[in-house]
Coordinates of all heavy atoms in Angstrom, one line a residue:
L1 N 101.0 120.9 84.4 CA 101.2 121.0 82.9 C 101.9 119.8 82.4 O 101.7 119.3 81.3 CB 101.9 122.3 82.6 CG 101.2 123.6 82.8 CD1 102.1 124.8 82.5 CD2 99.9 123.6 81.9
L2 N 102.9 119.2 83.2 CA 103.6 118.1 82.8 C 102.7 116.8 82.6 O 103.0 116.0 81.7 CB 104.7 117.7 83.8 CG 105.9 118.6 83.7 CD1 106.9 118.3 84.8 CD2 106.6 118.6 82.4
T3 N 101.6 116.7 83.3 CA 100.8 115.6 83.2 C 100.0 115.6 81.9 O 99.4 114.6 81.6 CB 99.8 115.4 84.4 OG1 99.0 116.6 84.5 CG2 100.6 115.2 85.7
Q4 N 100.0 116.7 81.2 CA 99.3 116.8 79.9 C 100.2 116.5 78.8 O 99.8 116.4 77.6 CB 98.7 118.2 79.8 CG 97.6 118.5 80.8 CD 97.2 120.0 80.7 OE1 97.7 120.8 79.9 NE2 96.1 120.3 81.4
D5 N 101.5 116.3 79.1 CA 102.5 115.9 78.1 C 102.6 114.4 77.9 O 102.9 113.7 78.9 CB 103.8 116.5 78.4 CG 104.9 116.2 77.4 OD1 104.5 115.9 76.2 OD2 106.1 116.3 77.7
T6 N 102.2 113.9 76.8 CA 102.1 112.4 76.6 C 103.5 111.7 76.8 O 103.6 110.7 77.4 CB 101.6 112.1 75.2 OG1 100.3 112.8 75.0 CG2 101.4 110.6 74.9
S7 N 104.5 112.3 76.2 CA 105.8 111.6 76.3 C 106.4 111.6 77.7 O 107.0 110.6 78.1 CB 106.8 112.3 75.4 OG 107.0 113.6 75.7
F8 N 106.1 112.7 78.5 CA 106.5 112.7 79.9 C 105.8 111.6 80.7 O 106.4 110.9 81.4 CB 106.2 114.1 80.5 CG 106.5 114.1 82.0 CD1 107.8 114.2 82.5 CD2 105.4 114.1 82.9 CE1 108.0 114.2 83.8 CE2 105.6 114.1 84.2 CZ 106.9 114.2 84.7
M9 N 104.5 111.5 80.5 CA 103.7 110.5 81.2 C 104.1 109.1 80.8 O 104.2 108.2 81.7 CB 102.2 110.7 81.0 CG 101.7 112.0 81.5 SD 102.1 112.2 83.3 CE 101.2 110.9 84.0
I10 N 104.4 108.8 79.6 CA 104.8 107.5 79.2 C 106.2 107.1 79.8 O 106.4 106.0 80.3 CB 104.9 107.4 77.6 CG1 103.4 107.4 77.1 CG2 105.6 106.1 77.2 CD1 103.3 107.5 75.6
N11 N 107.1 108.1 79.8 CA 108.5 107.9 80.3 C 108.5 107.7 81.8 O 109.3 106.9 82.3 CB 109.4 109.0 80.0 CG 109.7 109.0 78.5 OD1 109.8 107.9 77.9 ND2 110.0 110.2 77.9
I12 N 107.7 108.4 82.6 CA 107.7 108.2 84.1 C 107.1 106.8 84.5 O 107.5 106.3 85.5 CB 107.0 109.3 84.9 CG1 105.5 109.4 84.6 CG2 107.7 110.6 84.6 CD1 104.8 110.3 85.6
H13 N 106.3 106.3 83.6 CA 105.7 104.9 84.0 C 106.7 103.8 83.5 O 106.4 102.7 83.8 CB 104.3 104.8 83.4 CG 103.3 105.5 84.1 ND1 102.8 105.1 85.4 CD2 102.7 106.7 83.9 CE1 101.9 106.0 85.8 NE2 101.8 106.9 84.9
K14 N 107.7 104.2 82.8 CA 108.8 103.2 82.4 C 110.0 103.2 83.4 O 110.7 102.2 83.5 CB 109.2 103.5 81.0 CG 108.2 103.1 80.0 CD 108.7 103.4 78.6 CE 107.7 103.1 77.5 NZ 108.2 103.4 76.2
Q15 N 110.2 104.3 84.0 CA 111.4 104.4 84.9 C 111.2 103.8 86.2 O 110.3 104.1 86.9 CB 111.7 105.9 85.1 CG 112.9 106.4 84.3 CD 113.2 107.9 84.7 OE1 112.4 108.6 85.3 NE2 114.3 108.3 84.2
A16 N 112.1 102.8 86.5 CA 112.0 102.1 87.8 C 112.9 102.7 88.8 O 114.0 103.1 88.5 CB 112.2 100.6 87.6
I17 N 112.5 102.7 90.1 CA 113.3 103.1 91.2 C 113.4 101.9 92.1 O 112.5 101.2 92.4 CB 112.6 104.3 91.9 CG1 112.4 105.5 91.0 CG2 113.4 104.7 93.1 CD1 111.6 106.6 91.6
T18 N 114.7 101.7 92.5 CA 114.9 100.4 93.3 C 114.4 100.5 94.8 O 113.9 99.6 95.3 CB 116.4 100.1 93.4 OG1 117.2 101.3 93.8 CG2 116.9 99.7 92.0
S19 N 114.6 101.7 95.4 CA 114.1 101.8 96.8 C 113.8 103.3 97.0 O 114.4 104.2 96.5 CB 115.1 101.3 97.8 OG 116.2 102.2 97.9
V20 N 112.8 103.5 98.0 CA 112.4 104.9 98.3 C 112.5 104.9 99.9 O 111.5 104.7 100.5 CB 111.0 105.2 97.8 CG1 110.6 106.6 98.1 CG2 110.9 104.8 96.4
P21 N 113.6 105.3 100.4 CA 113.8 105.3 101.9 C 113.0 106.3 102.6 O 112.6 106.2 103.8 CB 115.3 105.5 102.1 CG 115.8 106.1 100.9 CD 114.9 105.7 99.8
W22 N 112.6 107.4 102.0 CA 111.9 108.5 102.6 C 110.4 108.3 102.7 O 109.7 109.0 103.4 CB 112.2 109.9 101.9 CG 112.0 109.8 100.5 CD1 113.0 109.6 99.5 CD2 110.8 110.1 99.7 NE1 112.4 109.7 98.3 CE2 111.1 109.9 98.4 CE3 109.5 110.3 100.1 CZ2 110.1 110.1 97.4 CZ3 108.5 110.5 99.2 CH2 108.8 110.4 97.8
F23 N 109.9 107.3 101.9 CA 108.5 107.1 102.0 C 108.2 106.1 103.2 O 108.6 105.0 103.2 CB 108.0 106.4 100.7 CG 106.5 106.4 100.5 CD1 105.9 107.5 100.1 CD2 105.8 105.2 100.7 CE1 104.5 107.5 99.9 CE2 104.4 105.2 100.5 CZ 103.8 106.4 100.1
T24 N 107.6 106.7 104.2 CA 107.5 105.9 105.5 C 106.2 105.1 105.7 O 106.2 104.3 106.6 CB 107.6 106.9 106.7 OG1 106.5 107.9 106.6 CG2 108.9 107.6 106.7
E25 N 105.3 105.3 104.8 CA 104.0 104.5 104.9 C 104.2 103.0 104.7 O 103.6 102.2 105.3 CB 102.9 105.0 104.0 CG 102.5 106.4 104.4 CD 101.3 106.9 103.5 OE1 100.7 106.0 102.8 OE2 101.1 108.1 103.4
R26 N 105.1 102.7 103.8 CA 105.4 101.3 103.4 C 106.7 101.2 102.7 O 107.1 102.2 102.0 CB 104.3 100.7 102.5 CG 104.5 99.3 102.2 CD 103.3 98.8 101.4 NE 103.6 97.5 101.0 CZ 102.8 96.8 100.1 NH1 101.7 97.3 99.7 NH2 103.1 95.6 99.7
I27 N 107.4 100.1 102.8 CA 108.7 99.9 102.1 C 108.3 99.6 100.7 O 107.6 98.7 100.4 CB 109.5 98.8 102.7 CG1 109.9 99.1 104.1 CG2 110.7 98.5 101.9 CD1 110.5 97.9 104.9
L28 N 108.8 100.5 99.8 CA 108.6 100.3 98.4 C 109.8 100.0 97.6 O 110.8 100.8 97.5 CB 108.0 101.7 97.8 CG 106.7 102.1 98.4 CD1 106.3 103.5 97.8 CD2 105.6 101.2 98.1
D29 N 109.9 98.7 97.1 CA 111.0 98.3 96.3 C 110.6 98.1 94.9 O 109.5 97.6 94.7 CB 111.6 97.0 96.9 CG 112.2 97.2 98.2 OD1 112.8 98.3 98.5 OD2 112.2 96.2 99.0
E30 N 111.4 98.4 94.0 CA 111.1 98.3 92.5 C 109.7 98.9 92.2 O 108.8 98.2 91.7 CB 111.1 96.8 92.2 CG 112.5 96.1 92.3 CD 113.5 96.7 91.3 OE1 113.1 97.1 90.2 OE2 114.7 96.8 91.7
I31 N 109.7 100.2 92.3 CA 108.4 100.9 92.0 C 108.8 101.8 90.8 O 109.9 102.4 90.7 CB 107.9 101.7 93.2 CG1 106.5 102.3 92.9 CG2 108.9 102.7 93.7 CD1 105.8 102.9 94.1
H32 N 107.8 102.0 89.9 CA 108.0 102.9 88.8 C 107.7 104.3 89.3 O 106.9 104.5 90.2 CB 107.1 102.5 87.7 CG 107.5 101.2 87.0 ND1 108.4 101.2 86.0 CD2 107.0 100.0 87.2 CE1 108.6 99.9 85.6 NE2 107.7 99.2 86.4
L33 N 108.3 105.3 88.7 CA 108.2 106.7 89.1 C 106.7 107.1 89.0 O 106.3 107.9 89.9 CB 109.1 107.5 88.2 CG 109.2 109.0 88.6 CD1 109.6 109.2 90.0 CD2 110.1 109.7 87.6
G34 N 106.0 106.7 88.0 CA 104.6 107.1 87.9 C 103.8 106.6 89.1 O 102.9 107.3 89.6
S35 N 104.0 105.3 89.5 CA 103.3 104.8 90.6 C 103.7 105.5 91.9 O 102.8 105.7 92.8 CB 103.7 103.3 90.8 OG 103.2 102.6 89.7
L36 N 104.9 105.9 92.0 CA 105.4 106.6 93.2 C 104.7 108.0 93.3 O 104.2 108.4 94.4 CB 106.9 106.8 93.2 CG 107.5 107.6 94.4 CD1 107.2 106.8 95.7 CD2 109.0 107.7 94.2
I37 N 104.6 108.7 92.2 CA 104.0 110.0 92.1 C 102.5 109.9 92.5 O 102.0 110.7 93.4 CB 104.1 110.6 90.7 CG1 105.6 111.0 90.5 CG2 103.2 111.8 90.6 CD1 105.9 111.5 89.1
V38 N 101.8 108.9 92.0 CA 100.4 108.7 92.4 C 100.3 108.3 93.9 O 99.4 108.8 94.5 CB 99.8 107.6 91.5 CG1 98.4 107.3 91.9 CG2 99.7 108.1 90.0
A39 N 101.2 107.5 94.4 CA 101.1 107.1 95.8 C 101.3 108.4 96.7 O 100.6 108.5 97.7 CB 102.1 106.1 96.1
V40 N 102.2 109.2 96.3 CA 102.5 110.4 97.1 C 101.3 111.4 97.0 O 100.9 112.0 98.0 CB 103.8 111.1 96.6 CG1 103.9 112.5 97.2 CG2 105.0 110.3 97.0
L41 N 100.7 111.5 95.8 CA 99.5 112.4 95.7 C 98.4 111.9 96.5 O 97.6 112.7 97.1 CB 99.2 112.5 94.2 CG 100.1 113.4 93.4 CD1 99.8 113.3 91.9 CD2 100.1 114.8 93.8
I42 N 98.1 110.6 96.5 CA 97.1 110.0 97.3 C 97.3 110.3 98.8 O 96.4 110.6 99.5 CB 96.9 108.5 97.0 CG1 96.3 108.4 95.6 CG2 96.0 107.9 98.0 CD1 96.3 107.0 95.1
S43 N 98.5 110.1 99.2 CA 98.8 110.4 100.6 C 98.6 111.9 101.0 O 98.1 112.2 102.1 CB 100.3 110.1 100.9 OG 100.5 108.7 100.8
V44 N 99.0 112.8 100.1 CA 98.7 114.2 100.3 C 97.2 114.5 100.4 O 96.8 115.2 101.3 CB 99.4 115.1 99.2 CG1 98.9 116.5 99.2 CG2 100.9 115.0 99.3
V45 N 96.4 113.9 99.5 CA 95.0 114.2 99.5 C 94.4 113.6 100.8 O 93.6 114.3 101.5 CB 94.3 113.5 98.3 CG1 92.8 113.5 98.5 CG2 94.7 114.3 97.0
H46 N 94.8 112.4 101.2 CA 94.3 111.8 102.5 C 94.7 112.7 103.7 O 93.8 112.9 104.5 CB 94.9 110.4 102.6 CG 94.4 109.7 103.8 ND1 93.1 109.4 104.0 CD2 95.1 109.3 105.0 CE1 93.0 108.8 105.2 NE2 94.2 108.7 105.8
Y47 N 95.9 113.1 103.8 CA 96.3 114.0 104.9 C 95.6 115.3 104.9 O 95.1 115.8 105.9 CB 97.8 114.2 104.8 CG 98.3 115.2 105.9 CD1 98.5 114.7 107.2 CD2 98.5 116.5 105.7 CE1 98.9 115.5 108.2 CE2 98.9 117.4 106.7 CZ 99.1 116.9 108.0 OH 99.5 117.7 109.0
N48 N 95.4 115.9 103.7 CA 94.7 117.2 103.6 C 93.3 117.1 104.0 O 92.7 118.0 104.6 CB 94.9 117.7 102.1 CG 94.4 119.1 102.0 OD1 94.5 119.9 102.9 ND2 93.8 119.4 100.9
I49 N 92.6 116.0 103.6 CA 91.2 115.8 104.0 C 91.1 115.7 105.5 O 90.1 116.3 106.1 CB 90.6 114.6 103.3 CG1 90.4 114.9 101.8 CG2 89.3 114.1 103.9 CD1 90.0 113.7 101.0
S50 N 92.0 115.0 106.1 CA 91.8 114.8 107.6 C 92.4 115.9 108.4 O 91.9 116.1 109.6 CB 92.5 113.5 108.0 OG 93.9 113.6 107.7
H51 N 93.3 116.8 107.9 CA 93.8 117.8 108.8 C 93.7 119.2 108.3 O 93.2 120.1 109.0 CB 95.4 117.5 108.9 CG 95.6 116.3 109.7 ND1 95.8 115.1 109.2 CD2 95.8 116.1 111.1 CE1 96.0 114.2 110.1 NE2 96.0 114.8 111.3
K52 N 94.0 119.5 107.0 CA 94.1 120.9 106.5 C 92.8 121.4 105.9 O 92.5 122.5 106.0 CB 95.3 121.0 105.6 CG 96.6 120.7 106.2 CD 97.0 121.7 107.2 CE 98.3 121.3 107.8 NZ 98.7 122.1 108.9
K53 N 92.2 120.5 105.1 CA 90.9 120.9 104.4 C 91.1 122.0 103.4 O 90.2 122.9 103.3 CB 89.8 121.2 105.4 CG 89.5 120.0 106.4 CD 88.3 120.2 107.1 CE 88.0 119.1 108.2 NZ 88.8 118.0 108.2
D54 N 92.2 122.0 102.7 CA 92.4 122.9 101.6 C 91.9 122.3 100.3 O 92.4 121.4 99.7 CB 93.9 123.2 101.5 CG 94.2 124.2 100.4 OD1 93.3 124.8 99.8 OD2 95.4 124.4 100.1
M55 N 90.7 122.8 99.8 CA 90.1 122.2 98.7 C 90.8 122.5 97.4 O 90.8 121.6 96.5 CB 88.6 122.8 98.5 CG 87.7 122.4 99.7 SD 87.8 120.6 100.0 CE 87.1 120.0 98.6
F56 N 91.6 123.6 97.3 CA 92.4 123.8 96.1 C 93.5 122.7 95.9 O 93.7 122.3 94.8 CB 93.0 125.2 96.1 CG 93.8 125.5 94.9 CD1 93.2 125.7 93.6 CD2 95.2 125.5 94.9 CE1 93.9 126.0 92.5 CE2 95.9 125.7 93.8 CZ 95.3 126.0 92.6
L57 N 94.1 122.4 97.0 CA 95.2 121.3 97.0 C 94.6 120.0 96.6 O 95.1 119.3 95.7 CB 95.9 121.2 98.3 CG 97.0 120.2 98.4 CD1 98.1 120.5 97.5 CD2 97.5 120.1 99.8
N58 N 93.4 119.7 97.1 CA 92.7 118.4 96.8 C 92.4 118.4 95.3 O 92.6 117.4 94.6 CB 91.5 118.2 97.6 CG 91.8 117.7 99.0 OD1 92.9 117.3 99.3 ND2 90.8 117.7 99.8
R59 N 91.8 119.5 94.8 CA 91.4 119.6 93.4 C 92.6 119.4 92.5 O 92.6 118.8 91.4 CB 90.7 120.9 93.2 CG 90.0 121.0 91.8 CD 89.2 122.2 91.6 NE 88.4 122.6 92.8 CZ 88.3 123.8 93.3 NH1 88.9 124.8 92.7 NH2 87.6 124.0 94.3
S60 N 93.8 120.1 92.8 CA 95.0 120.0 92.0 C 95.6 118.6 92.0 O 95.9 118.1 90.9 CB 96.0 121.0 92.5 OG 95.5 122.3 92.5
C61 N 95.6 118.0 93.2 CA 96.2 116.6 93.2 C 95.3 115.6 92.4 O 95.8 114.8 91.7 CB 96.3 116.1 94.7 SG 97.6 117.0 95.6
L62 N 94.0 115.7 92.6 CA 93.1 114.8 91.9 C 93.1 115.1 90.4 O 93.0 114.2 89.6 CB 91.7 115.0 92.4 CG 91.5 114.5 93.9 CD1 90.1 114.7 94.4 CD2 91.9 113.0 94.0
A63 N 93.4 116.3 90.0 CA 93.5 116.6 88.5 C 94.8 116.0 88.0 O 94.7 115.5 86.8 CB 93.5 118.1 88.3
I64 N 95.8 116.0 88.7 CA 97.1 115.4 88.3 C 96.9 113.9 88.1 O 97.3 113.3 87.1 CB 98.2 115.6 89.3 CG1 98.6 117.1 89.2 CG2 99.4 114.8 88.9 CD1 99.5 117.5 90.4
I65 N 96.2 113.2 89.1 CA 95.9 111.8 89.0 C 95.0 111.5 87.8 O 95.2 110.5 87.1 CB 95.3 111.3 90.3 CG1 96.4 111.4 91.4 CG2 94.8 109.8 90.2 CD1 95.8 111.1 92.8
S66 N 94.0 112.4 87.6 CA 93.1 112.2 86.5 C 93.8 112.3 85.1 O 93.5 111.5 84.2 CB 92.0 113.2 86.6 OG 91.1 113.1 85.5
N67 N 94.7 113.3 85.0 CA 95.4 113.5 83.8 C 96.4 112.3 83.5 O 96.6 112.0 82.3 CB 96.2 114.7 83.8 CG 95.4 116.0 83.6 OD1 94.2 115.9 83.2 ND2 95.9 117.1 84.0
S68 N 96.9 111.7 84.5 CA 97.8 110.6 84.3 C 97.1 109.2 84.2 O 97.8 108.2 83.8 CB 98.9 110.5 85.4 OG 98.2 110.3 86.7
G69 N 95.9 109.2 84.4 CA 95.1 107.9 84.3 C 95.3 107.1 83.0 O 95.5 105.9 83.1
P70 N 95.2 107.7 81.9 CA 95.3 107.0 80.6 C 96.6 106.3 80.4 O 96.8 105.5 79.6 CB 95.0 108.0 79.6 CG 94.3 109.1 80.2 CD 94.7 109.1 81.6
Y71 N 97.6 106.8 81.1 CA 99.0 106.3 80.9 C 99.5 105.3 82.0 O 100.6 104.9 81.9 CB 100.0 107.5 80.9 CG 99.5 108.5 79.9 CD1 98.9 109.7 80.3 CD2 99.7 108.3 78.5 CE1 98.5 110.7 79.4 CE2 99.3 109.3 77.6 CZ 98.7 110.4 78.0 OH 98.3 111.4 77.1
F72 N 98.6 104.9 82.9 CA 99.0 104.0 83.9 C 99.4 102.6 83.3 O 98.7 102.1 82.5 CB 97.9 103.7 84.9 CG 97.6 104.8 85.9 CD1 96.4 104.8 86.6 CD2 98.5 105.8 86.1 CE1 96.1 105.8 87.5 CE2 98.2 106.8 87.0 CZ 97.0 106.8 87.7
S73 N 100.6 102.2 83.6 CA 101.1 100.9 83.2 C 102.1 100.4 84.3 O 102.7 101.2 84.9 CB 101.7 100.9 81.9 OG 102.9 101.7 81.9
N74 N 102.1 99.1 84.5 CA 103.0 98.5 85.5 C 102.8 99.1 86.9 O 103.8 99.5 87.6 CB 104.5 98.7 85.1 CG 104.8 98.0 83.8 OD1 104.3 96.9 83.5 ND2 105.6 98.6 83.0
M75 N 101.6 99.3 87.2 CA 101.2 100.0 88.5 C 101.7 99.1 89.7 O 101.4 97.9 89.7 CB 99.7 100.2 88.6 CG 99.2 100.9 89.8 SD 99.8 102.6 89.9 CE 98.9 103.3 88.5
H76 N 102.3 99.7 90.6 CA 102.8 98.9 91.8 C 101.5 98.5 92.6 O 100.5 99.2 92.6 CB 103.7 99.9 92.7 CG 104.4 99.2 93.8 ND1 103.9 99.0 95.0 CD2 105.6 98.6 93.8 CE1 104.8 98.4 95.8 NE2 105.8 98.1 95.0
T77 N 101.6 97.4 93.3 CA 100.4 96.9 94.0 C 100.0 97.8 95.1 O 98.8 98.0 95.4 CB 100.7 95.5 94.6 OG1 101.9 95.5 95.4 CG2 100.9 94.5 93.5
Y78 N 100.9 98.4 95.8 CA 100.5 99.4 96.9 C 99.7 100.5 96.3 O 98.7 100.9 96.9 CB 101.8 99.9 97.6 CG 101.5 101.0 98.6 CD1 100.9 100.7 99.8 CD2 101.8 102.3 98.3 CE1 100.6 101.7 100.7 CE2 101.5 103.3 99.3 CZ 100.9 103.0 100.5 OH 100.6 104.0 101.3
T79 N 100.2 101.1 95.2 CA 99.5 102.2 94.6 C 98.1 101.8 94.1 O 97.2 102.5 94.3 CB 100.3 102.8 93.5 OG1 101.6 103.1 94.0 CG2 99.7 104.0 92.9
A80 N 98.0 100.6 93.5 CA 96.8 100.2 93.0 C 95.8 99.9 94.2 O 94.6 100.2 94.0 CB 97.0 98.9 92.2
Q81 N 96.2 99.5 95.3 CA 95.3 99.3 96.4 C 94.9 100.6 97.1 O 93.8 100.7 97.5 CB 96.0 98.4 97.5 CG 96.2 97.0 97.1 CD 97.1 96.2 98.1 OE1 97.6 96.8 99.0 NE2 97.2 94.9 97.9
R82 N 95.7 101.6 97.1 CA 95.4 102.8 97.7 C 94.4 103.5 96.8 O 93.5 104.3 97.2 CB 96.6 103.7 97.8 CG 97.6 103.2 98.8 CD 97.2 103.4 100.2 NE 97.2 104.8 100.5 CZ 96.8 105.3 101.7 NH1 96.2 104.5 102.5 NH2 96.8 106.6 101.9

């Protein structure tokens, strides 16, 4: 429901995070919160496809990414490549 809120989506793409030590796929410095959320969702979908195969989880994650698509700005290079 939060991804349908315009002001929430605009604000998360403006908030910068200096480092994310718990994200182990790659060192992420100076990433915006919106880019981090999309990177985590893509990782969840990728893991779910290869191991769990829960279609409801995939559908929900892809819906979140789809809802946030119009608000993407200042996308981190790692997230854009994924």
Side-chain angles (χ1 to χ4, degrees):
L1 292 174
L2 285 175
T3 59
Q4 296 174 353
D5 183 19
T6 304
S7 62
F8 174 77
M9 293 307 299
I10 291 171
N11 287 331
I12 67 168
H13 285 285
K14 289 181 181 178
Q15 256 182 348
I17 300 173
T18 54
S19 69
V20 187
W22 51 266
F23 194 78
T24 58
E25 291 183 21
R26 182 173 171 188
I27 297 172
L28 298 176
D29 292 329
E30 294 297 324
I31 186 170
H32 291 276
L33 185 57
S35 294
L36 179 62
I37 290 171
V38 173
V40 168
L41 288 171
I42 290 171
S43 297
V44 167
V45 168
H46 180 66
Y47 177 78
N48 188 35
I49 286 173
S50 62
H51 292 91
K52 301 293 181 189
K53 301 190 184 351
D54 181 8
M55 294 311 295
F56 180 74
L57 180 62
N58 281 351
R59 190 176 316 138
S60 298
C61 291
L62 294 174
I64 293 168
I65 294 171
S66 175
N67 286 344
S68 62
Y71 306 104
F72 286 163
S73 63
N74 300 321
M75 184 68 66
H76 193 269
T77 55
Y78 173 74
T79 306
Q81 289 172 354
R82 295 286 289 172

